[in-house]
Amino acid sequence: MALIEPEKKTSSLDEAIAIADGQLRDLTALAASLLEDIKAGDMEAVKAAGKTADDLRKLVRLAIELEARHERERKQEAGITGAYGLDLEQARSDIRCKLARLRRCCQSEEVSS
């Protein structure tokens, strides 16, 4: 029996994930900078930090959704329903060969196809 292993392909989702990853890195750096400003007593930074935190939360949620969608589509294209998939045609072929060997070994026609 042959297992179908998922392949690594590039898709438009890969590009979207890369963009979201870049934005996430930028917002994380901005949040760190704003935190330093807040510690220094800059009250304008407090307002900006709230907006940045909201943006960061939305972007993280989007990145998680994109990654989950990407994984679902990748598995669907590969014909995988769980953690792995079975190549049923190869399995049928293997079973036919084994039955043929069993028939020859036993010299009997009693084994069904």
Side-chain angles (χ1 to χ4, degrees):
M1 194 172 337
L3 286 177
I4 300 172
E5 294 293 329
E7 294 179 17
K8 302 280 185 191
K9 287 186 180 179
T10 325
S11 69
S12 61
L13 277 176
D14 289 331
E15 186 178 319
I17 289 171
I19 291 169
D21 183 52
Q23 291 174 343
L24 184 60
R25 290 175 195 271
D26 291 345
L27 278 174
T28 303
L30 177 60
S33 171
L34 287 172
L35 183 59
E36 292 301 317
D37 291 345
I38 291 170
K39 286 179 182 178
D42 184 1
M43 297 317 280
E44 287 298 315
V46 173
K47 294 177 186 175
K51 182 181 180 324
T52 301
D54 288 341
D55 291 345
L56 192 55
R57 242 188 315 277
K58 289 175 188 175
L59 192 55
V60 168
R61 190 174 324 127
L62 176 64
I64 291 170
E65 290 170 3
L66 280 173
E67 192 168 355
R69 181 175 155 208
H70 180 262
E71 185 66 18
R72 276 194 312 271
E73 287 184 8
R74 187 182 61 79
K75 284 183 175 182
Q76 184 179 20
E77 287 173 3
I80 298 172
T81 55
Y84 62 90
L86 294 177
D87 184 348
L88 295 179
E89 190 57 41
Q90 182 65 42
R92 285 185 195 97
S93 176
D94 291 347
I95 290 170
R96 285 186 197 110
C97 289
K98 289 175 184 177
L99 285 173
R101 276 186 260 139
L102 184 60
R103 279 190 210 100
R104 283 193 306 270
C105 174
C106 297
Q107 297 179 359
S108 171
E109 296 297 321
E110 293 178 19
V111 179
S112 64
S113 312

